[in-house]
Amino acid sequence: MTFAIWAVVIILAAIWLGTWVLQIALIVLDLAITAVVWTAALAIGLIWLGSRAISERIKPA
């Protein structure tokens, strides 16, 4: 009987730890995707600002 109780406790602990590991992995993945999106947005914004500055400088005064 005690073996069955220990087996259930171990299985529940494994499920609980698994959900924690899965949540941490999802949070890390979400942060990575967010970082990529923000980096791309920043790069696009800087390129856009740079091209505007260059086109303003090329225009005859």
Side-chain angles (χ1 to χ4, degrees), residues 8-58:
V8 169
V9 168
I10 290 172
I11 289 171
L12 288 176
I15 292 171
W16 183 72
L17 283 174
T19 55
W20 271 102
V21 170
L22 183 65
Q23 282 184 346
I24 291 170
L26 287 175
I27 289 170
V28 169
L29 182 66
D30 186 42
L31 289 175
I33 292 171
T34 305
V36 168
V37 169
W38 276 104
T39 306
L42 185 64
I44 291 169
L46 288 175
I47 291 169
W48 179 72
L49 282 175
S51 65
R52 278 194 58 197
I54 290 170
S55 64
E56 286 292 325
R57 193 169 291 176
I58 290 173

